[in-house]
Amino acid sequence: MAPRKVIIDTDPGCDDTLAMLLAFAASPQDLEVLMVSATYGNVELESCLRNVVSLFYHIEKEIEWRKANGRKVGFETLLKTKPIVSVGPEHPLSDTKLMADYFHGTDGLGGISDSHPHLSPADTWKELFDITKAPKDPEIDELRKELESPALFTPSQVPAHLEILRLLRENEPNTITIVAVGPLTNLAIAAAEDPETFLRVKEVVVMGGNIYEVGNVTPVAEFNTFADTVAAARVYALTSPSPHSTMPPVPPTPAGQKADQAPPPYLQPYPGTLSKQLNVTLFPLDITQQHEISRGEFQSFTAPLITAGSPLAEWVSAWLNSTFRKVESLQDDVSGDAVGLHLHDPMTIWYCITQLDPKWELVRDEDIRVETSGQWTRGMCVIDRRSRRKREVDLEEEISSDHGAWLSAKAGNRLSRCVGSPGTGIFGTYLLEKIFAS
């Protein structure tokens, strides 16, 4: 079976970084990572991009160390296919920008750019993504020679949503999976730019939302969905047999813009007729919070590697131990080795790697909608829990007895939602063994 081709859309963030490490440590028979698209989210865009570059920088050092010490090299997927790294937007489509730096640190990795400056690559990497420079610019070539990490990735000066569309055009339909572990802004812009090309995607695997669990940024909302509700609502609308039935209202006119001026392209309606419905598989907090790695397990696993001189173990320990301390400070009933980190984003990669495992359980064709304008409910994922009979006359329009057209088979979204995995107690060990080639 051919490997699953993936684009990772990310806002790293500690669990995003673990997800990327797991993807690059996969077997090339399972995954082929074509691209990493960086977006704002957990922290400012520049910090997110720095963390992507830093990841490659430390993988490069780890590979050298493993080779020098006769260890299993690992990272086979990355060594076989060098992914593109491209940059997305700095802010959501219309909402006020929200970040999670209170949890991830101002740099996204527990503040290690200040506490451990020797673990960060030189700032010259910024020039690699300068959109004013052509890809063959001699200055760019010189910068690539100065940095070790570009040996493992190809920096792009093209906006991320355009790179996503290019890859979808250049590959056969239904062969690329987009793994979205941050706000869905990049995806929403790509879908608005060229809906039919975007619908060439095989599957969009999303870490986001919460259905029955409480939220992690408000009582009712999960961070990635809350950070750009309009983007999430627009992407999910493409799963509907009638996308207009769940499209979010156009946001109020920004200050300084005329009220009768058309909304920007990324907020305009989709065409009336589309060739297919988008395939979205959602990993909400309900399932991801059941999977975690404890401080005790992580430290006992990595301590011998740090002693032996593993650059990757040293780097990951620096920011993950900071994260464990943050988790501990936010909880009253857990401390010491029992403190755990929920493996939200890595679960999406685990699913992509082990796609044929029959233990994955999905609820399919679920009408999940995103609230974009509520005062207290923004970012909430709404489903119909009523035991109401579906309409006998199956029109997509709203009627007086069915506000929102929840009871129509021709309206509403159609998402798949993960409700079961190969095992809640095994994922932490699997993750560590894959990343550190044990």
Side-chain angles (χ1 to χ4, degrees):
M1 184 175 177
R4 180 182 282 225
K5 297 179 180 180
V6 299
I7 293 170
I8 301 175
D9 192 67
T10 177
D11 62 333
C14 57
D15 57 330
D16 302 70
T17 304
L18 289 173
M20 287 188 286
L21 284 169
L22 178 59
F24 293 134
S27 164
Q29 283 72 48
D30 295 325
L31 282 191
E32 180 182 356
V33 183
L34 302 179
M35 176 180 169
V36 173
S37 54
T39 182
Y40 79 94
N42 286 318
V43 289
E44 295 282 2
L45 179 61
E46 183 174 302
S47 293
C48 290
L49 184 57
R50 179 197 297 115
N51 295 340
V52 173
V53 174
S54 190
L55 176 144
F56 287 106
Y57 175 81
H58 288 284
I59 290 177
E60 179 100 4
K61 289 185 173 297
E62 178 74 4
I63 289 172
E64 293 175 359
W65 175 78
R66 291 179 186 178
K67 287 180 177 178
N69 288 273
R71 293 175 175 259
K72 181 181 175 182
V73 173
F75 295 107
E76 295 176 42
T77 291
L78 181 58
L79 292 174
K80 184 174 181 179
T81 303
K82 184 164 69 170
I84 297 163
V85 174
S86 190
V87 188
E90 297 182 1
H91 50 76
L93 296 186
S94 66
D95 296 326
T96 302
K97 185 160 62 175
L98 171 81
M99 296 185 297
D101 50 358
Y102 76 94
F103 181 82
H104 293 274
T106 55
D107 63 355
L109 293 179
I112 66 166
S113 57
D114 293 326
S115 63
H116 297 70
H118 64 288
L119 296 180
S120 296
D123 277 352
T124 49
W125 61 265
K126 296 178 186 178
E127 299 295 326
L128 294 171
F129 301 93
D130 187 345
I131 62 173
T132 65
K133 297 181 184 295
K136 300 298 183 182
D137 191 312
E139 289 185 44
I140 295 293
D141 289 338
E142 287 301 314
L143 285 165
R144 286 173 178 163
K145 292 175 184 177
E146 291 177 23
L147 289 169
E148 298 174 57
S149 47
L152 295 179
F153 73 87
T154 301
S156 172
Q157 289 86 43
V158 177
H161 73 281
L162 296 178
E163 286 284 22
I164 290 172
L165 291 171
R166 179 183 65 80
L167 287 171
L168 290 171
R169 287 189 195 101
E170 292 178 358
N171 286 267
E172 289 296 318
N174 302 312
T175 58
I176 293 179
T177 295
I178 300 177
V179 181
V181 291
L184 296 183
T185 316
N186 267 331
L187 276 61
I189 296 174
E193 175 89 14
D194 189 340
E196 286 296 345
T197 294
F198 188 75
L199 289 173
R200 291 168 67 93
V201 71
K202 175 182 180 179
E203 183 179 12
V204 178
V205 180
V206 178
M207 189 282 122
N210 54 301
I211 309 302
Y212 298 102
E213 285 292 322
V214 298
N216 61 2
V217 67
T218 76
V220 298
E222 174 274 333
F223 175 81
N224 286 342
T225 307
F226 188 87
D228 197 338
T229 58
V230 173
R234 288 183 61 93
V235 171
Y236 296 168
L238 287 171
T239 70
S240 175
S242 304
H244 70 271
S245 69
T246 59
M247 282 284 277
V250 176
T253 304
Q257 181 176 310
K258 295 180 180 179
D260 60 350
Q261 190 172 334
Y266 54 78
L267 294 176
Q268 291 180 4
Y270 294 125
T273 303
L274 293 169
S275 61
K276 59 178 285 194
Q277 293 167 237
L278 183 67
N279 178 21
V280 172
T281 301
L282 189 68
F283 282 74
L285 296 180
D286 307 61
I287 187 68
T288 62
Q289 287 187 159
Q290 299 177 32
H291 300 73
E292 66 176 26
I293 186 170
S294 72
R295 175 192 269 160
E297 180 182 12
F298 173 75
Q299 291 185 340
S300 64
F301 191 98
T302 55
L305 293 170
I306 294 172
T307 300
S310 163
L312 186 63
E314 180 188 8
W315 180 62
V316 174
S317 293
W319 49 263
L320 204 49
N321 283 325
S322 174
T323 305
F324 284 129
R325 289 192 295 272
K326 173 56 69 173
V327 172
E328 188 171 25
S329 74
L330 296 172
Q331 297 179 329
D332 292 327
D333 55 346
V334 181
S335 62
D337 285 352
V339 173
L341 174 70
H342 293 136
L343 298 172
H344 303 297
D345 297 338
M347 276 202 72
T348 60
I349 301 297
W350 189 27
Y351 167 75
C352 290
I353 293 173
T354 61
Q355 56 189 294
L356 298 180
D357 193 319
K359 294 189 178 99
W360 287 108
E361 297 177 43
L362 302 177
V363 174
R364 299 191 183 276
D365 293 331
E366 195 166 34
D367 187 359
I368 301 173
R369 309 186 193 184
V370 176
E371 175 57 61
T372 62
S373 55
Q375 181 181 5
W376 309 119
T377 57
R378 173 187 151 196
M380 180 179 182
C381 287
V382 183
I383 62 171
D384 191 352
R385 297 188 177 94
R386 302 172 297 176
S387 56
R388 293 279 301 276
R389 180 183 299 170
K390 295 293 184 181
R391 290 191 204 171
E392 293 179 5
V393 179
D394 210 8
L395 300 175
E396 64 187 64
E397 289 82 9
E398 180 181 279
I399 58 177
S400 60
S401 61
D402 183 20
H403 292 286
W406 288 91
L407 303 177
S408 170
K410 293 186 178 180
N413 294 331
R414 301 290 185 272
L415 280 77
S416 296
R417 174 168 62 93
C418 182
V419 296
S421 77
T424 57
I426 65 173
F427 185 39
T429 301
Y430 173 93
L431 179 82
L432 293 173
E433 289 178 347
K434 279 284 189 181
I435 290 174
F436 294 104
S438 297

